[in-house]
Amino acid sequence: MSETTLTGGALPITIRDATKSYGAVFALDNVDLDVRSGEFMTLLGPSGSGKTTLLMVLAGFTRPDYGSVKFGEREIVRTPPHKRDVGMVFQNYALFPHMSVAANVAFPLKLRGVSKQEMVERTEQALETVQLAGYGERRIDQLSGGQRQRVALARAIVFEPRILLMDEPLSALDKKLREQMQIELRRLHDKLGMTTVYVTHDQREALTMSDRIAVINHGRVMQLGTPEEIYERPANRFVADFIGESTFLPVTVQQGVARFGDQSLKVAQMPEAGEDLLLMLRPERLQLITNDSEAADGEANRFEARVREMVYQGDSFLMYTVLENGTEISLRGMTRRDTVSTLPAIGDVIQLALHRDDTVLISAEEP
Ligand code: ADP
Ligand code: MG
């Protein structure tokens, strides 16, 4: 494809063995990852896990020590950034503050030698796409944070790149605007259809926006899956801890019975004997059983606990409880009248019920 070609379908990305070290630190450690054509893929991980490094390898600003990156059939590891047909949005906008909105957006077209008239048309179209029609003559410093991020987005998509890369683009915005922009970005992706790789450290953002999520830690992909797979069936303790809130109970398996201490457990799937396992407990999957409330059905595991603290959070409440062995377990419930009217007091002994179908056992070994 020549540099001035502006149309083309979405492209899959194939990453093999991508490795990058800085001294003793492996920012990327043998990463294999396939991003499907037109997919919204999120790289999710804590600070320092290698997300930006991987995105920079895709953009062409970082050369991996070894490994292969293909856009479609084409190997691009040695291709310079401006020849990769990739649009980029960064956290800090990276706009030219002294130039107008239109001049910022038109910049990639200018680099690509697009004619004046086409430049004007495409710039207007891109501004319309990000809901900034009519803002072309404004200066960047006259815009709010959310508007600046929209300009950055317009600049990234104005040349219709086949791949869009975004590095924590919403993290400078306040919560409400961020949540609104998450939905907007996802809609825009669906409309334009380019392959998108999105970086965030915010698990809720990743769950909200993505077709699939690659959970990254120490430069390695810990798990790749849909939001539901990642949340419901985390592959290891790191993923279970990083996505959502959980507590873990140690579980042993002997003679076909899974046990927590001397309590036998009803589990959805019986694991192999001999493994050291953890039962994952999510606060919203536990049911509160008090003397007044109905008993849990026979398919539930029950854990006796003492109520230590209650936190009111508007739409829901969080109850901190302690098992006899000292393990702290939290339970979340909605603040509906029927649930709130039967809430126990601090110090009360209650039962936490976990249905068989909600049991998730994960390996206790660190990945
Ligand atoms: P993330 O974006 O997930 O926060 P990064 O990809 O920025 O993580 O960094 C991954 C690791 O590589 C970190 O330990 C970071 O300190 C290191 N690193 C990244 N870029 C450089 C660099 N240019 N020089 C030295 N170390 C770097
Ligand atoms: Mg980063």
Side-chain angles (χ1 to χ4, degrees):
M1 229 174 80
S2 82
E3 283 173 66
T4 50
T5 307
L6 294 172
T7 50
L11 281 177
I13 303 173
T14 311
I15 304 166
R16 287 292 174 271
D17 271 350
T19 298
K20 177 76 188 175
S21 59
Y22 294 105
V25 176
F26 276 89
L28 296 178
D29 188 358
N30 273 286
V31 171
D32 289 341
L33 189 63
D34 290 279
V35 187
R36 295 172 189 148
S37 180
E39 180 171 39
F40 195 115
M41 165 79 76
T42 295
L43 310 178
L44 172 68
S47 174
S49 56
K51 306 180 297 293
T52 294
T53 304
L54 186 51
L55 209 68
M56 287 299 146
V57 163
L58 297 179
F61 296 113
T62 296
R63 173 89 60 94
D65 301 333
Y66 60 87
S68 150
V69 179
K70 284 185 177 171
F71 290 172
E73 294 300 308
R74 186 168 143 232
E75 174 64 55
I76 49 86
V77 156
R78 280 173 230 304
T79 307
H82 66 281
K83 292 194 176 160
R84 289 194 180 199
D85 200 12
V86 155
M88 273 217 76
V89 183
F90 304 92
Q91 174 186 345
N92 56 5
Y93 318 127
L95 297 170
F96 306 111
H98 57 282
M99 285 169 23
S100 70
V101 166
N104 268 279
V105 174
F107 192 74
L109 300 175
K110 207 168 169 183
L111 282 185
R112 286 166 173 78
V114 169
S115 74
K116 186 92 203 259
Q117 192 196 332
E118 191 178 341
M119 203 148 83
V120 171
E121 279 168 18
R122 281 183 175 277
T123 298
E124 269 174 25
Q125 204 180 348
L127 284 173
E128 204 170 301
T129 305
V130 300
Q131 297 173 31
L132 282 181
Y135 281 70
E137 297 312 310
R138 304 254 185 123
R139 280 204 331 257
I140 297 299
D141 55 13
Q142 294 173 316
L143 303 180
S144 70
Q147 289 169 331
R148 285 178 205 203
Q149 201 49 282
R150 285 201 177 90
V151 176
L153 189 61
R155 185 180 59 181
I157 61 170
V158 73
F159 58 101
E160 296 181 14
R162 301 170 80 177
I163 291 171
L164 181 60
L165 307 176
M166 294 189 263
D167 194 354
E168 313 229 9
L170 306 181
S171 56
L173 308 178
D174 63 41
K175 185 167 182 287
K176 212 157 188 172
L177 183 57
R178 197 163 69 228
E179 288 174 354
Q180 183 190 330
M181 288 291 289
Q182 287 166 7
I183 307 294
E184 251 182 60
L185 282 181
R186 176 67 218 207
R187 284 201 190 124
L188 188 68
H189 164 88
D190 293 347
K191 186 170 154 197
L192 302 177
M194 66 259 282
T195 307
T196 298
V197 183
Y198 188 93
V199 163
T200 183
H201 64 270
D202 179 338
Q203 47 109 2
R204 189 174 286 278
E205 185 163 296
L207 293 171
T208 302
M209 300 179 76
S210 320
D211 290 318
R212 288 191 301 163
I213 299 170
V215 182
I216 314 273
N217 195 31
H218 297 311
R220 285 181 291 153
V221 178
M222 296 280 113
Q223 187 172 3
L224 172 65
T226 63
E228 198 179 333
E229 284 164 355
I230 298 270
Y231 189 84
E232 304 288 343
R233 292 183 294 285
N236 52 54
R237 182 167 183 159
F238 174 80
V239 176
D241 249 337
F242 194 70
I243 317 280
E245 301 159 61
S246 5
T247 36
F248 303 95
L249 300 180
V251 170
T252 56
V253 182
Q254 277 158 5
Q255 280 132 27
V257 182
R259 289 178 198 281
F260 162 59
D262 50 18
Q263 178 179 352
S264 67
L265 299 171
K266 298 164 186 127
V267 294
Q269 233 177 350
M270 186 51 74
E272 302 279 320
E275 265 184 287
D276 278 337
L277 297 168
L278 298 168
L279 176 64
M280 178 179 81
L281 300 174
R282 299 274 201 211
E284 79 282 5
R285 298 296 157 89
L286 290 164
Q287 192 195 346
L288 175 65
I289 314 281
T290 60
N291 284 336
D292 316 334
S293 63
E294 275 179 44
D297 76 32
E299 291 296 287
N301 298 286
R302 285 159 162 255
F303 304 98
E304 193 171 276
R306 190 175 289 279
V307 179
R308 177 177 275 182
E309 200 183 338
M310 288 279 285
V311 180
Y312 174 77
Q313 296 184 320
D315 60 347
S316 60
F317 62 87
L318 206 50
M319 179 185 293
Y320 294 99
T321 72
V322 195
L323 300 188
E324 205 170 23
N325 76 352
T327 307
E328 294 184 22
I329 297 180
S330 53
L331 171 141
R332 184 180 291 284
M334 302 307 286
T335 48
R336 293 194 316 252
R337 189 160 30 81
D338 57 333
T339 49
V340 172
S341 61
T342 58
L343 284 182
I346 309 291
D348 281 1
V349 172
I350 48 113
Q351 308 258 332
L352 300 169
L354 179 72
H355 195 276
R356 179 198 292 275
D357 295 342
D358 282 328
T359 55
V360 176
L361 290 167
I362 58 177
S363 171
E365 275 167 44
E366 288 299 323

